[in-house]
Amino acid sequence: MDLFEKIASKFVTDTNNDGKIDAQDVANTFKSLVSETSDSIDLNGLVEKFKKANLSETVSSWLSNGENKPITAQHIDEVFDTEKLKAFANSLKMEITEAKEMLAKAIPNLVDKFSSDGKLLDIKSTDTTSLLDKIKKLF
């Protein structure tokens, strides 16, 4: 299982879609939603999108060791392009409202799991052994 499948599995688990959606489908569609390229998930870019939507304090809670502040489907609307959200929902065969709620629930946990001491882990690291060790600790 590669990094993106692990992220997708975590995403599916966090959103309680018991078998309704496939982790590989989520991995592919989530990459296209949050990243400019299809070969990586740009968590730094994702965090910046939320900060630009005046959610810096909320994002800081995800990066810190304390409780994660929640976001809503409306926040998802503010951060992501409508067409990309529709494509995300359609590819997972779900209503856009359900997809937005799922994203609102999963993104804070995802950022939290891939951060330490207020900073995101380097998931684009070329040191794959070190990166895999970090990922194993998350799941």
Side-chain angles (χ1 to χ4, degrees), residues 104-122:
K105 186 175 180 183
I107 288 173
N109 290 330
L110 178 69
V111 172
D112 180 59
K113 295 295 182 196
F114 281 87
S115 64
S116 178
D117 297 324
K119 295 181 182 177
L120 286 170
L121 299 177
D122 180 14

Side-chain angles (χ1 to χ4, degrees), residues 33-102:
L33 178 66
V34 302
S35 300
E36 298 302 318
T37 64
S38 63
D39 63 339
S40 68
I41 293 179
D42 180 12
L43 290 182
N44 283 311
L46 179 63
V47 164
E48 287 306 311
K49 286 180 183 185
F50 280 92
K51 286 180 178 180
K52 287 180 183 174
N54 294 319
L55 293 166
S56 292
E57 187 176 317
T58 300
V59 169
S60 292
S61 77
W62 306 342
L63 296 170
S64 71
N65 295 330
E67 186 176 332
N68 292 334
K69 290 186 179 182
I71 55 172
T72 65
Q74 182 178 345
H75 292 126
I76 297 299
D77 267 332
E78 293 169 7
V79 170
F80 295 106
D81 175 76
T82 301
E83 292 306 312
K84 281 190 169 189
L85 283 170
K86 286 180 186 176
F88 177 81
N90 288 338
S91 66
L92 297 177
K93 298 174 180 71
M94 59 177 41
E95 296 294 321
I96 192 164
T97 304
E98 182 183 13
K100 286 188 245 180
E101 289 171 2
M102 181 174 66

